[in-house]
Amino acid sequence: MTRVAGIDCGTNSIRLLVADVHPETGELIELDRRMTIVRLGQGVDKTGRLAPEALERTFAACREYAEVIRELGAERLRFVATSASRDAENRADFVNGVVEILGVEPEVITGDQEAEFSFTGATGELHGDDRRLVVDIGGGSTEFVVGNKHVEAARSVDIGCVRLTERHVRHDPPTAEEVAAIRADVRAALDLAAEAVPIDTVETLVGLAGSVTTVAAIALGLPEYDSEKVHHSRISAEQVAEVTERLLASTHDERAAIPVVHPGRVDVIIAGALVLREIVERVGAREVVVSEHDILDGIALSVA
């Protein structure tokens, strides 16, 4: 077994996984997994730059993670950066800060690479020969990947809970016009994804990342977030629609009072739920298989 660390720095959150991995079998024993909402993508869609306060929040999390990695004695570290840092003019500031703190240069991966990692991490424990569509709804982008044991096709499109919220939402709760604008963006992005990925010909829909797991936790009626209960839960299309309608009618304070909604996700979960509902309706899925294992697990496996 090789002890490795993987960091996934996205638009909304930064996450760390330290695990022992068998390089041949792909067996992964989790030692530490944590997430911090840093909102690195704050304002990127509008300004094209990473905000100074967003960078400092991210660097503070990196310092915490560096200490965890040292304490657990990880032999290798891979730091992957996704949508927000791909889009930013001043991404050199981000890269230099990460190198100074963690000693490795963040890999600003393409959307297709992001999709590959997500698929590998999400489907490693699933069995069967069914054709799967893995959907990773992030803060700035959403990845669509079709395959079974291996990726057949993948596409990343620029719809995410942070990007859509910043682009369209000005009221709380959002107005009908704002909701319609979000849905229009999502449907256009689905058309774009469908040009490269056969999203309408799959048997199983697998959903990843915070928007999906939060919707699942609400649907399950959990009194507090429980990753073991969320992982591999099956949420029906009707439950996705019901939770989305509940969120659409709620105020910021009402969403904050839902115990499974992370404080850093309160203002963006409506857009995230809308993305999920549109995907479910487009592919005609009866249910979503929810996975807690995602791009972060794929990163850790790739290190080994």
Side-chain angles (χ1 to χ4, degrees):
M1 303 289 278
T2 302
R3 182 157 296 182
V4 301
I7 294 177
D8 167 36
C9 185
T11 303
N12 195 45
S13 64
I14 183 169
R15 300 182 302 144
L16 167 70
L17 172 63
V18 181
D20 287 333
V21 179
H22 194 293
E24 294 180 5
T25 66
E27 179 188 0
L28 186 150
I29 300 173
E30 178 181 318
L31 301 174
D32 194 295
R33 186 189 297 260
R34 60 185 65 196
M35 181 269 286
T36 310
I37 299 288
V38 294
R39 197 62 60 83
L40 179 62
Q42 172 191 332
V44 167
D45 192 50
K46 183 177 180 181
T47 68
R49 297 180 62 82
L50 298 168
E53 60 270 28
L55 284 169
E56 185 46 48
R57 290 193 297 267
T58 304
F59 294 154
C62 286
R63 295 183 192 100
E64 174 193 332
Y65 291 178
E67 185 62 29
V68 174
I69 292 167
R70 279 193 295 269
E71 288 178 356
L72 292 176
E75 300 170 41
R76 304 176 192 170
L77 166 64
R78 189 170 191 176
F79 187 117
V80 168
T82 53
S83 181
S85 52
R86 279 202 304 265
D87 301 339
E89 295 173 4
N90 62 331
R91 62 186 183 188
D93 296 339
F94 167 69
V95 171
N96 293 337
V98 171
V99 170
E100 182 179 346
I101 297 166
L102 287 161
V104 297
E105 185 169 325
E107 300 174 53
V108 182
I109 61 174
T110 66
D112 287 343
Q113 289 174 305
E114 191 173 346
E116 184 83 33
F117 283 140
S118 295
F119 186 85
T120 302
T123 63
E125 298 173 315
L126 299 179
H127 303 290
D129 297 323
D130 54 318
R131 204 157 182 237
R132 299 158 186 157
L133 170 61
V134 174
V135 177
D136 186 345
I137 303 174
S141 63
T142 294
E143 282 63 57
F144 295 84
V145 195
V146 166
N148 177 258
K149 301 302 180 186
H150 303 285
V151 173
E152 296 177 18
R155 185 67 178 264
S156 177
V157 291
D158 283 341
I159 50 168
C161 59
V162 175
R163 189 186 297 272
L164 292 172
T165 300
E166 290 187 349
R167 185 180 292 172
H168 296 300
V169 178
R170 301 291 179 269
H171 298 85
D172 183 42
T175 65
E177 291 76 14
E178 291 167 349
V179 173
I182 291 173
R183 295 181 72 181
D185 275 9
V186 176
R187 290 173 179 177
L190 284 169
D191 289 340
L192 190 63
E195 293 176 4
V197 180
I199 62 176
D200 302 314
T201 62
V202 295
E203 299 162 272
T204 303
L205 174 62
V206 182
L208 317 182
S211 291
V212 176
T213 56
T214 300
V215 168
I218 295 172
L220 292 169
L222 299 180
E224 61 183 11
Y225 194 86
D226 187 330
S227 61
E228 290 187 4
K229 292 182 179 178
V230 170
H231 187 48
H232 286 178
S233 61
R234 293 175 180 267
I235 307 303
S236 70
E238 290 76 18
Q239 287 176 300
V240 171
E242 288 168 5
V243 170
T244 303
E245 288 302 318
R246 174 184 171 184
L247 293 170
L248 281 169
S250 65
T251 64
H252 182 279
D253 289 345
E254 289 169 339
R255 295 190 298 277
I258 302 173
V260 296
V261 178
H262 189 285
R265 203 171 294 282
V266 171
D267 58 337
V268 297
I269 186 56
I270 288 178
L274 281 168
V275 174
L276 178 60
R277 186 174 74 176
E278 290 294 327
I279 293 169
V280 169
E281 292 179 356
R282 171 62 181 265
V283 304
R286 295 181 181 178
E287 63 181 11
V288 182
V289 179
V290 182
S291 178
E292 284 276 357
H293 293 182
D294 51 26
I295 185 173
L296 193 55
D297 300 77
I299 293 167
L301 288 167
S302 75
V303 180

